[in-house]
Amino acid sequence: MTDRITLVLNGSPVALPPDTSPTTTLLDWLRGPAGLCGTKEGCAEGDCGACTVVLEGPDGGRAPVNACLVLLGQVHGCAVRTVEGLRGPDGAPHPVQRALAEADATQCGFCTPGIAMAAWAHAREGGSVHEALAGNLCRCTGYRPIIEAFAGLEDDGAAPPSLPPVGGATFAAGGQVFHRPASLAELLALRAAHPEALLLAGGTDLGLLVSEGRQRPPAVIHLATVPELGAIAADAGGITLGAAVPYARLLPLLDGSLAPLAGLLARLGSRQIRALGTVGGNLGTASPIGDMLPPLLVLGATLRIASVRGERESGVEDVLLGYRKTTLAPDEVIVSIRLPRPPDGAVLACEKLSRRHDQDISAVGGAFLLRVAGGRVAEARLAFGGLGPMAARARHAEAMLTGALLAPACFADAAEELAQDVAPLSDWRGSAAYRLAAAQGLLRRLYWRVAKPGLPAEVHAL
Amino acid sequence: MNVISDKLHVENNKWIGTRTIRPDGADKVTGRACYAADNVMPGMIWGKVLRSPHAHARIRSIDTSKAEALPGVKAVVTARDIVDFPLDKSVMLGIQDMRWMCRNVMAREKALFHGHPVAAVAAINEEVAAEACRLIEVDYEVLPHVIEIEDAIRPDAPILHDFLTFEDKPSNIAGRMEAKLGDVEAGFAQADVIVERTFRTRPVHQGYIEPQACTVSYAADGRATIWSSSQGQFMVRAMTSLLTGVPQSNIKAIPAEIGGGFGAKTIIYLEPVALLLSKKSGRPVKMVMTRDEVMRATGPTSGSLSTVRIGARRDGTIVAAQGTFYLQAGCLPGSPLRGPVGCSFAPYEIPNVLSVGYDVVSNRSKVAAYRAPGAPLGAYATESVLDELAGKLGIDPLELRLKNSAKPGSKAAYGATFGKVTFEETIEAIRTHEHYRAPLDKTPRPGVKRGRGVASGFWYNAGGESSAQVNITEDGNVLVTTGHPDVGGSRASIANVTAELLGIEHGRVSVQIGDTSSIGFSNLTGGSRVTFASAMVVTQSTEKVITQLRERAARIWKIDPEAVTWENGEARPAGPNAGQFPPLTLTELAAKANEMGGPIGAGVQLNTTGADPGFATHVVDVEVDVDLGIIRVLRYTAAQDVGRALHPSYVEGQIQGGVVQGIGWALSEEYLYDRQGRLDNASFLDYRMPVCSDVPMIEPVMLEIPNPKHPQGVRGVGEAPIVPPLAAIANAVHDALGIRFTSLPMSPPKVVEALEGA
Ligand SMILES: Cc1cc2nc3c(=O)[nH]c(=O)nc-3n(C[C@H](O)[C@H](O)[C@H](O)COP(=O)(O)OP(=O)(O)OC[C@H]3O[C@@H](n4cnc5c(N)ncnc54)[C@H](O)[C@@H]3O)c2cc1C
Ligand code: FES
Ligand code: FES
């Protein structure tokens, strides 16, 4: 027995034929069977944004996503809007589209459908224009006319789609199975039964297998419909975050003492990536340059991990095992992450070094939590990514800094000591020497962050 | 002779110079515009290329039998199916040598880079085609490879082509180009100060967002139709004809909307292969490159190794300049030597110049044109040295440029004697600009330094063959057809010109790009020539149409055509002596066309001339994070002589887009190879083109100094903007840090390393 994938496409319900491969990318389906070629493919890897479409939430929210990374099984029960669906009923272009045309924000026009969709989402969601546009490459215009058009956009006030909630489902076609478990128990049972299946959260790492790698995974277990993994709640002590909650839902809760983490998160990928990507996925991938890992390490985040055998709680440090390796057993799933707020009076700094400000993979990431008392560093927690096979605390540098005077020289000493902690690799993102030197730069910079809190929050902010 | 229209100095134009909504704008913002990959045909199948897994290997044999036997496979082609151009005889198509093109489209004797096509398959879907590619057995003899220029020119380097010799020895140096003026050594002898430095740049990709794509249908009668994304449907026709042996008259090349090219789509990769697959299979074949294929196997622009030496008297007079430019051609000859050799010193009046370029092959994909091909890397070297020279002489860098700028009558080393020169105007525009005069706080925060830099640039610009047809429809509207794919808004400019000349509402003019069977030969969209050349042929066509309209009115009124004028979209009697008649509008004349002499319309085909060179001067402020090596561009102002901006937004767009590409080149973009000679960063995720937050709002300063040789005064604008940024940014970084970067990109690792060494 297989369920059918249903979705609302440009306002109209669609049920896909039962033989549809559930791991077809949304982009391939739109441009192929759906006959909607307005959405473009520039890279099939989530970086150019030419394939941007919008997921319309029942609450009116608009999430731009890269159709090249999204699998059909993922959008079951979702409302998808493409550039073709932006036109008014009379066929006239939407005001957002008119604004782009009038600003001469299109030259070759290949990026334009994706930019129109990003614009339509931005008109409702607001936020900074740079942030809204970071996921859309344009090679022709130099961006200026696009930025000008974005600055004047207004929400069209269109009503949200009515989306009947869909329960769990299983899509089977052509030798592939795509599970959407509806409860934690169901998820854990499936996981135990199919340890070889791909565990899919947002798919911004896994989607590349299908999109760019052209693979056809035989079994997928999708996490987004499990209530425990999709819940998020903030309290005075911190945030409890379901492992499958997309970054975009976490971002607005990162206020007060967690604001520096928001500054970093706003640079993780692009809006499109943050609409799908999850902290659970960042942990699951366990890349040494996963941006979330250093902050989780210094904040002392704990993970709730479950399997049919029971539950356990674990610190992030105990889960990271090596280069893209975790201690998760094949039947285990991360359910949620507890993100404590920094203790009162502590300073949190989150850094990311990359060639581009936005939409880039880090060469080096760093997170620092410092408590200062009486002109001295009372406690220092320092964690880095990109300086070894996995993100890790820098214990030697921490020891050097703990108890030290709040003075540039002491931070410089800690920076020297950092060489004891790390064993960076050389690759084209940066040589080992550069990575170490840059990380040391971040530590020296930390002095100014603490001593002069007025400094711009990001290293390359104006 | 080109007509010089009296419209040239007319002020108060109604359409020319206004920001009308571009004709293709609505289709582009609504997703309706049809790009090559959007084309679908009944019965269509999918083509896929098998590529070499080695950087350098002799192909001993290819066995395609297993692939052919796979169900769903409809055709397989290898180099044997492509027309061979023997190595001993050059056959040129424009600047492309078909000996190299045939080997670039499909490896023949050897696979010359990782990603070089060795065979192609057409099958019922992409999966089967990919599977069939895996079943093709290629017997390779792996050879040592060479990637970098320094290694390729060493005496013991692996030789790519045994038929290439340099100074009578087998060599990877495929050619040499020289531009010379006076006697450099005698010139340097007169110099009080000489600066010499060596610079390196890496290949960078054009980075168009639309991958190459085409659909080709070869019919049983031997006629082929090609839909593809290119910078010239006539180039597609000619090159496909040469490589497949199908006569040009049997090929119709239809230009799809093009999703960016920046020069790279002036050559083809897929079309001949798809045609042969279609011919063998009897089905239309579609081929679309992946981003990986685009990065790995379509041409970036050359990397370079340049040494520039400039000598001046103490008063700042430059007396001699010498440049030696080694350019990476990729695996087959054909670097854009003309760029650095000719452009580097052209903005300056220098009595003694020796500028030499070498074309160096190595195991990389063959380079393709990229916006002002080769000129930016030359200007990077020259304009950096000038900056240093200005420092040594204690002269303001803009003063030094002004003092030595080319003037009317100056002779450039590449051979031209300049007529009108508008270089000084661009320098003055920057010197008097608020940006240049604004104070710059050089140490705004701890760990951060700022600097300001200037640089100039030159590009030849081009005329060449263009065709246009202007037809009046029966209902009195206007249809203009030209033969150039529109990459940057040329349809918008042409609509403005036509509406202006005819004196009608802009909305009544439609502009389309004709296919090769519906419009006369038109050369490539490239060389900054399209607006220049097509405005010229459209102007002449429209003037002919106006003559016809006057004749029709004269016939109706039974007066002499000379006694009829055309004003504001109407024919009127020319003065009281001509008679008293109510004016006849375009619509009225169109309605009566058939009874009064037949359809109204005219076409012009011309080899256009008079495209004078373009000059640009830029100023930029940068900020360097000295702990982290991050460089940010804070402010950027670009002055350029644009002749006449037919549609200002698209002129600004060219300047802004070109500068941002230059910023990427200077700071973050580069081709990186691993030890096996494989490109390491063949994706947008890893090849770092600027996103919006990496660049400031580029401020263009358009100097409208009409080109007297063009009816509207147009001068090419598309390429000059990418010439100065590399040096301007490097000069600004020098101003901030006192460190001169002689190697691009100035990526954070390189900056940190330089700061540690300083
Ligand atoms: C264009 C682009 C830009 C990017 N930019 C960044 C960036 O700036 N910084 C950065 O850190 N990353 C970046 N990434 C990588 C990716 O977005 C992040 O790692 C993201 O956090 C992955 O989350 P996801 O939910 O999409 O993971 P998925 O792809 O769904 O899963 C990733 C892995 O985690 C496992 N997993 C997921 N959830 C769980 C769970 N609950 N329990 C156990 N295992 C689980 C999966 O099985 C899989 O192995 C980028 C990716 C793209 C395509
Ligand atoms: S196609 Fe480039 S992001 Fe999807
Ligand atoms: S308009 Fe060409 S890529 Fe944006």
Side-chain angles (χ1 to χ4, degrees), chain A residues 115 118 128-137 143 146-147 150, chain B residues 691-692:
Chain A
I115 285 178
S128 96
V129 172
H130 274 173
E131 198 211 300
L133 250 181
N136 294 83
L137 285 173
Y143 298 106
I146 304 174
I147 291 172
F150 266 55
Chain B
V691 300
C692 63

Side-chain angles (χ1 to χ4, degrees), chain A residues 105-112 115 137-141 146, chain B residues 209 259-260:
Chain A
T106 170
Q107 275 185 39
C108 82
F110 199 77
C111 67
T112 308
I115 285 178
L137 285 173
C138 173
R139 191 62 158 174
C140 296
T141 60
I146 304 174
Chain B
I209 311 297

